[in-house]
Amino acid sequence: MDKVQQQIKEFQEMLKPVLKKVLDEYDKNPTSKMYNTVVKPCKQLIQKCSCKSASDMRSLRALAYWLYIFGKKALALEICELALNTDFSLEYEVDGIADMYGLEIRIARELFDEERSRDIPPNLLDYYFSKKVKRGLTYPKILREEKIAFGSDKWIETEMLYALYNMIGKRETGLYNHLNEYSEKIEKSILDYISYLKED
């Protein structure tokens, strides 16, 4: 087994106990939404979650955000901490990992009144400041209101989740000071989106 394969195996073994805790919380009579957003992906990630796979890490990101949406902040934080303490190969798309930094910062503040920060790897900084990412991080574009307004119910949920990735995952890093003057409006949208997404 080479070094990369060993790292993948170690990551999955560290992650499994956290995912099993999630299932202990949700696998008994979950609502349809909780099953589709938490239980089902959790079971899939227990079977396979490679820290070198962009799709697996995006699934893990979504799981952490849905746990946060449903109020299971401590479990969401455990997932973020575990993921962010792993030495990732950044040759892949890194959006799944990038959006966990801001979520970790927000939860640590909400649960422990702790202002947490991390050294963000240079490759991730390149991603944060890429034109593609920065285009979506202006106000009011960050709210994704135009896309939400014309979507089906399922599409609305997807757009709201992507808006949370930006409003929490990226904005909470403190790298986008131009958004500070809109903090109150953004916070209101965060709470509104979470309230909508919690509904079954």
Side-chain angles (χ1 to χ4, degrees):
M1 184 181 294
D2 65 23
K3 185 178 178 181
V4 171
Q5 290 174 319
Q6 182 64 32
Q7 186 183 28
I8 290 170
K9 182 180 177 183
E10 289 173 0
F11 176 74
Q12 188 154 13
E13 290 306 310
M14 287 189 296
L15 185 62
K16 276 183 181 178
V18 181
L19 297 177
K20 286 178 179 176
K21 277 199 279 187
V22 174
L23 287 180
D24 287 343
E25 289 273 351
Y26 282 101
D27 206 13
K28 296 169 186 172
N29 301 316
T31 65
S32 174
K33 176 172 280 187
M34 287 178 178
Y35 179 81
N36 288 321
T37 59
V38 175
V39 176
K40 184 178 178 181
C42 196
K43 288 179 177 180
Q44 291 170 338
L45 288 166
I46 285 175
Q47 293 302 313
K48 177 193 174 288
C49 185
S50 168
C51 58
K52 305 298 183 184
S53 164
S55 63
D56 287 351
M57 297 318 299
R58 283 195 283 268
S59 294
L60 193 62
R61 168 190 64 184
L63 177 61
Y65 272 81
W66 278 109
L67 288 169
Y68 179 76
I69 288 163
F70 289 130
K72 300 297 182 183
K73 296 179 182 181
L75 285 171
L77 183 61
E78 278 193 71
I79 289 173
C80 291
E81 289 172 336
L82 183 59
L84 296 176
N85 284 331
T86 300
D87 179 21
F88 287 97
S89 170
L90 297 175
E91 67 208 52
Y92 294 92
E93 287 294 322
V94 295
D95 54 337
I97 292 300
D99 296 330
M100 290 189 198
Y101 278 90
L103 185 59
E104 180 198 35
I105 290 167
R106 185 179 183 90
I107 296 173
R109 185 174 65 246
E110 290 177 348
L111 290 183
F112 311 120
D113 197 26
E114 175 186 329
E115 290 301 328
R116 189 174 292 191
S117 63
R118 284 180 179 269
D119 291 330
I120 298 174
N123 289 32
L124 266 179
L125 287 174
D126 290 344
Y127 167 78
Y128 280 126
F129 291 118
S130 66
K131 288 181 180 178
K132 177 184 173 183
V133 170
K134 287 176 72 177
R135 270 199 305 269
L137 294 175
T138 57
Y139 187 87
K141 199 170 184 179
I142 193 171
L143 308 181
R144 300 176 82 95
E145 288 178 320
E146 288 185 14
K147 293 183 178 181
I148 290 168
F150 298 104
S152 63
D153 287 346
K154 187 173 181 181
W155 186 253
I156 287 170
E157 288 193 357
T158 300
E159 288 299 330
M160 284 186 173
L161 192 61
Y162 274 92
L164 291 178
Y165 293 160
N166 285 340
M167 293 189 290
I168 295 175
K170 297 181 180 72
R171 185 181 67 95
E172 289 278 6
T173 62
L175 296 173
Y176 305 99
N177 292 331
H178 62 280
L179 293 171
N180 289 348
E181 64 181 293
Y182 307 106
S183 289
E184 192 173 322
K185 293 176 180 178
I186 291 172
E187 279 299 318
K188 182 180 183 306
S189 293
I190 289 172
L191 297 178
D192 288 345
Y193 290 6
I194 287 174
S195 178
Y196 181 93
L197 289 167
K198 278 196 291 194
E199 296 176 5
D200 198 29

